[in-house]
């Protein structure tokens, strides 16, 4: 028997799964079939409100749409947050349907000329990841007769401790090494570009609140130092994010109230060069991850070698992360339950395996479940971020997952 992660507060204690107050079976009917992701819009609204209450009032909240760009969800999130962060021309096009260009920033290495051009034409802010990219953006701006809005993404000289995905403190495809940033800023200002400020993203998915507090303080200090060295006042500093959510046994949630308090104190101490600067945090996973579940139907229950396998119609092609194949070193179990009997008495130890013909497709490894029968619905929690669009949907030719967004007003 292997441990599982904690069922998120919004779902814990239910006897039958409901999402946004609606019974899952109704939502699966709305989806038309399993497998399906179900998203709770009111849980997302509560999350944003809690973050806003915790953060100092001058800090804006941005949503990194790669976490979940499902159009109805994106549209609802756009109404809740101040800005959208995108990382491709495709995401830019989606963001522009729900938010004005001035509230959209475009980061990511390897932006093609047509992507730079689309951003400059629309008036979104480019977060340049290299001097070469800055030069291409300036040349494209010239050609278009437009002044590009450019922020410099900094590869910080520190990293976010405890981060699932470190993005600073070492050689990196992301951002420009901090020591080279002042020279680029001076050049951007001299060329007449609309220099927007800095983007400093130190890492992702940490549950260590103290590490986030330290990274935010270090980010503010670095932004102040770079601005002074460049001799220019940044209009805006994007402080990154990195807030994780608890996926596994023993994980505990980040303390956003403590982080907000500490950020307020760090802002009070910030250098004079940042006195009139605006700030934002950019979050994906923390805003939407807990508000989504993945439901998949039991196709078969079989025994082999003394173990029980619950075979479902979904798999890693929709929810790669739950199989342990998306940025984790050791495979551990996401929270899992039987949707019809969330409070069912433990009756069996079984592995939940997907329908793909590969041993990698294991959604839960030797977990304790209530009695499971063919036709039951297995629910995997913490599925609102990096699910449908972060999984290899075309692998093995099964249909894509369906998605249902339950609006906060329902
Ligand atoms: C992916 C990404 C985010 C969002 O990260 P989460 O862990 O989902 O909060 C924010 N900023 C940048 C630059 C990213 O690449």
């Amino acid at each position: 028997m292997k441990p599982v992660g904690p069922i998120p507060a919004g779902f814990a204690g239910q006897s039958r799964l409901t999402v946004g107050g609606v019974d899952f079976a109704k939502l699966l009917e709305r989806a038309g079939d399993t497998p399906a992701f179900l998203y709770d819009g009111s849980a997302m609204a509560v999350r944003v409100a809690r973050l806003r209450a915790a953060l100092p009032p001058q800090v804006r909240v941005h949503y990194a749409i790669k976490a979940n760009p499902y159009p109805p969800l994106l549209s609802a999130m756009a109404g809740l947050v101040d800005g959208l962060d995108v990382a491709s021309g495709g995401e830019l096009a989606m963001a522009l349907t729900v938010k004005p260009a001035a509230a959209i920033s475009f980061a990511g290495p390897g932006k093609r000329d047509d992507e730079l051009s689309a951003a400059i034409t629309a008036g979104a802010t480019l977060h340049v990841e290299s001097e070469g990219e800055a030069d291409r953006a300036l040349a494209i701006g010239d050609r278009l007769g437009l002044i590009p809005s450019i922020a410099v993404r900094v590869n910080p000289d520190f990293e976010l401790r405890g981060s699932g995905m470190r993005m600073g403190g070492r050689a990196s495809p992301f951002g420009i090494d901090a020591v080279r940033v002042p020279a680029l800023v001076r050049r951007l200002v001299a060329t007449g570009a609309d220099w927007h400020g800095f983007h400093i993203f130190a890492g992702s998915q940490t549950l260590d609140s103290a590490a986030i507090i330290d990274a935010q303080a270090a980010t503010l200090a670095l932004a102040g130092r770079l601005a002074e060295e460049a001799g220019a006042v940044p209009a805006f500093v994007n402080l990154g994010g990195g807030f994780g959510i608890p996926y596994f046994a023993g994980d505990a949630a980040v303390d956003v109230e403590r982080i907000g308090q500490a950020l307020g104190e760090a802002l009070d101490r910030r250098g004079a060069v940042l006195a009139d600067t605006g700030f934002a945090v950019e979050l994906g996973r923390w805003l939407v991850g807990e508000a989504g579940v993945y439901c998949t139907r039991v196709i078969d229950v079989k025994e082999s070698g003394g173990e029980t396998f619950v075979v479902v119609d979904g798999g890693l092609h929709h929810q790669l992360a739950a199989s342990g194949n998306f940025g984790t070193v050791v495979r551990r179990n996401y929270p899992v339950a039987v949707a019809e009997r969330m409070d069912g008495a433990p009756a069996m130890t079984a592995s939940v395996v997907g329908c793909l013909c590969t041993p990698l497709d294991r959604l839960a490894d030797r977990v304790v479940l209530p009695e499971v029968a063919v036709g039951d619905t297995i629910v995997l929690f913490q599925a609102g971020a990096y699910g449908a669009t972060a999984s290899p949907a075309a692998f093995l030719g099964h249909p894509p997952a369906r998605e249902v967004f339950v609006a906060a007003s329902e």
Side-chain angles (χ1 to χ4, degrees):
M1 190 262 260
K2 298 271 179 77
V4 296
I7 292 180
F11 301 103
Q14 297 183 348
S15 52
R16 267 177 76 87
L17 176 69
T18 66
V19 178
V22 186
D23 189 85
F24 77 97
K26 251 198 192 141
L27 296 173
L28 291 180
E29 239 169 68
R30 204 183 293 178
D33 204 350
T34 51
F37 288 92
L38 311 176
Y39 306 121
D40 179 355
S42 60
M44 294 174 194
V46 166
R47 205 77 165 164
V48 175
R50 181 177 155 207
L51 182 64
R52 283 194 190 283
L55 290 175
Q58 75 267 41
V59 176
R60 289 180 233 172
V61 175
H62 287 193
Y63 174 52
I65 85 172
K66 78 170 185 286
N68 192 329
Y70 180 53
L73 183 156
L74 176 59
S75 169
M77 286 301 290
L80 296 170
V81 299
D82 306 302
L84 297 176
D85 292 336
V86 304
S88 72
E91 286 192 351
L92 173 66
M94 277 193 271
L96 283 167
T97 65
V98 291
K99 205 80 174 161
I104 299 172
S105 49
F106 183 0
K111 299 183 199 74
R112 292 160 44 110
D113 283 359
D114 56 352
E115 294 176 299
L116 294 174
S117 176
I120 294 167
T121 304
T125 298
L126 286 168
H127 288 191
V128 294
E129 307 266 356
S130 73
E131 288 93 344
E133 188 174 82
D135 288 335
R136 282 194 294 130
L138 290 171
I140 289 168
D142 262 353
R143 226 166 27 245
L144 294 170
L146 296 168
I147 295 175
S149 166
I150 296 181
V152 174
R153 176 146 178 206
V154 181
N155 176 27
D157 44 14
F158 58 87
E159 67 185 17
L160 177 58
R161 289 193 322 270
S163 171
M165 252 171 264
R166 275 180 303 215
M167 289 191 170
R170 57 176 72 190
S172 169
F174 307 105
I176 299 166
D177 292 355
V179 290
R180 298 210 308 272
V181 166
L184 175 61
V185 170
R186 278 194 297 271
R187 191 151 67 80
L188 287 172
V189 171
T191 354
D194 173 17
W195 176 56
H196 199 70
F198 297 120
H199 175 206
I200 306 178
F201 181 79
S204 202
Q205 178 55 23
T206 186
L207 294 169
D208 182 344
S209 303
I212 293 172
I213 288 169
D214 289 351
Q216 288 181 337
T219 297
L220 279 173
L222 177 60
R225 203 170 77 228
L226 294 174
E228 268 169 23
E229 284 175 29
V233 171
F236 202 73
V237 174
N238 180 324
L239 299 166
F243 300 21
I245 58 173
Y247 287 105
F248 306 119
D251 281 357
V254 290
D255 184 345
V256 291
E257 286 72 25
R258 193 176 137 214
I259 292 167
Q261 167 88 21
L263 181 55
E265 290 161 12
L267 282 170
D268 290 343
R269 292 193 307 267
R270 72 186 183 273
V273 69
L274 301 180
D276 296 323
T277 299
F279 297 93
V281 292
E282 52 172 357
L283 300 177
R285 190 190 308 270
W286 191 88
L287 293 174
V288 298
E290 290 202 7
V293 300
Y294 176 63
C295 288
T296 174
R297 181 158 297 139
V298 178
I299 299 296
D300 196 7
V301 180
K302 59 182 273 189
E303 305 289 326
S304 171
E307 290 190 27
T308 304
F309 293 87
V310 171
V311 188
V312 296
D313 64 356
L316 70 76
H317 55 310
H318 300 153
Q319 185 51 339
L320 181 64
S323 75
N325 293 294
F326 189 62
T328 42
V329 181
V330 181
R331 196 212 169 287
R332 290 178 292 175
N333 287 316
Y334 272 40
V336 60
V338 178
E340 288 85 354
R341 289 180 295 288
M342 297 261 289
D343 57 354
M348 62 201 270
T349 296
S351 292
V352 178
V353 297
C355 58
L356 299 192
C357 209
T358 159
L360 297 179
D361 197 5
R362 185 174 289 238
L363 297 175
D365 185 34
R366 283 164 282 171
V367 296
V368 174
L369 294 171
E371 205 55 55
V372 177
V374 168
D376 284 345
T377 310
I378 297 290
V379 51
L380 285 157
F381 297 92
Q382 306 297 53
Y386 304 108
T389 61
S391 305
F395 186 36
L396 272 153
H398 293 284
R402 305 185 178 222
E403 295 177 281
V404 177
F405 180 77
V406 184
S409 52
E410 267 184 60

